[in-house]
Amino acid sequence: MRKKVVVGNWKMNKTVTEAGELVSAILEQLGDCLVGCEVGVAPAFPALTEVGKVIERSDIRLVAQNCHYEDDGAYTGEVSVRMLESLGCAYVIVGHSERRQYFGETNRTVNLRLRKALAEGMQVIMCVGETLEEREGGVTDEVVTEQVKEGLEGVGDLGGVVLAYEPVWAIGTGKTATPEQAEEVHVSIRATIRDMYGDIAAEHLRIQYGGSVKPSNAVELFAMPNIDGGLIGGASLKAEDFVAIVKAAG
Ligand code: PEP
């Protein structure tokens, strides 16, 4: 039985003070619901310290939105895995579609980041997903399979990996994949993992869904057998909505 994992991706939102207030409200409203699923929040880099302090004695995981693949050096604007570790991050997100779309991330750079994080002992959430054009062109499976294979190239053990299926057309658009549409791709991703790593690894791997998840659709999405939680953007910026989604995951 896979433990569901729900992570709020706050993207480039919230000042340090606002981030502290948001995570405090989440903690307060969650109460003892943390036993059922794993919960994480991914504030922007400047707020990691503050949010880390607030959740220090809780079960909420601190998640970073990105990392670089070198230890240090002349990479202006980038942040290393060791820096994130020193702030208490348990997970890092790599390959978010916004990174691919606006910052030139490719399967290869996603793979480098993922491997660096794993080598440093940090868990990784790797995002994959097709654009609207790709879905309409009937190449969803092809695109997602390639992202999975190339993103995981050279990775021998999936122990520290969570995948997030995020159809680009559903991110921040209010258009959610139907539970059936999402499940279909999750099944296909799990089959790819089965081919690459075998039955046991495929059964253990958690695959989140992301793309306009809201309190009103979370229950039916999370009820699908291959959807193991969610990566939540917009709805994670309101404590009430995020907590409702976490509760929907059990
Ligand atoms: C995301 O950015 O990972 C995401 C799923 O965003 P939203 O929930 O706003 O669609």
Side-chain angles (χ1 to χ4, degrees):
M1 179 77 178
R2 296 179 293 270
K3 189 174 190 171
K4 287 190 170 51
V5 52
V6 177
V7 171
N9 173 15
W10 297 356
K11 310 191 187 192
M12 197 177 73
N13 293 293
K14 307 290 177 190
T15 63
V16 174
T17 307
E18 289 165 352
E21 287 166 0
L22 174 57
V23 77
S24 299
I26 290 170
L27 257 186
E28 202 179 302
Q29 292 180 32
L30 268 176
D32 58 5
C33 151
L34 290 183
V35 284
C37 67
E38 195 176 0
V39 181
V41 289
F45 291 140
L48 281 169
T49 303
E50 178 64 20
V51 170
K53 269 193 245 160
V54 177
I55 60 178
E56 206 174 3
R57 280 188 204 82
S58 78
D59 289 329
I60 298 186
R61 310 274 195 247
L62 190 61
V63 180
Q65 296 179 17
N66 187 26
C67 66
H68 198 260
Y69 45 82
E70 295 291 350
D71 288 330
D72 42 41
Y75 300 100
T76 303
E78 290 289 333
V79 172
S80 75
V81 177
R82 283 190 203 167
M83 292 170 189
L84 298 174
E85 247 167 6
S86 73
L87 297 175
C89 291
Y91 283 91
V92 59
I93 299 168
V94 299
H96 190 281
S97 64
E98 287 151 14
R99 300 288 320 167
R100 294 177 189 261
Q101 193 178 348
Y102 306 130
F103 301 100
E105 291 270 357
T106 61
N107 289 340
R108 182 179 141 65
T109 60
V110 170
N111 174 255
L112 288 172
R113 288 169 207 268
L114 174 136
R115 280 162 56 177
K116 183 65 183 174
L118 292 178
E120 296 290 336
M122 188 169 291
Q123 299 176 83
V124 181
I125 297 171
M126 183 177 85
C127 305
V128 297
E130 81 288 1
T131 62
L132 184 60
E133 209 181 358
E134 289 162 344
R135 174 158 284 264
E136 287 176 350
V139 291
T140 296
D141 256 10
E142 214 173 305
V143 168
V144 171
T145 301
E146 187 171 282
Q147 288 172 336
V148 169
K149 284 190 171 163
E150 293 185 6
L152 293 176
E153 201 177 302
V155 174
D157 180 356
L158 289 185
V161 177
V162 170
L163 295 184
Y165 168 57
E166 300 207 308
V168 179
W169 49 271
I171 295 180
T173 58
K175 282 186 203 158
T176 322
T178 64
E180 293 73 23
Q181 275 174 325
E183 174 69 7
E184 194 183 343
V185 181
H186 283 231
V187 166
S188 155
I189 292 173
R190 209 176 291 289
T192 303
I193 296 296
R194 192 168 289 115
D195 287 347
M196 295 170 74
Y197 294 94
D199 287 345
I200 295 174
E203 279 318 301
H204 280 92
L205 180 76
R206 293 180 295 176
I207 309 172
Q208 299 174 301
Y209 169 77
S212 300
V213 178
K214 304 174 271 250
S216 58
N217 59 24
V219 171
E220 47 175 10
L221 283 161
F222 296 163
M224 301 312 278
N226 285 283
I227 298 183
D228 308 312
L231 186 55
I232 318 302
S236 69
L237 296 171
K238 272 176 86 185
E240 233 176 83
D241 287 356
F242 184 63
V243 169
I245 292 168
V246 167
K247 289 183 175 169

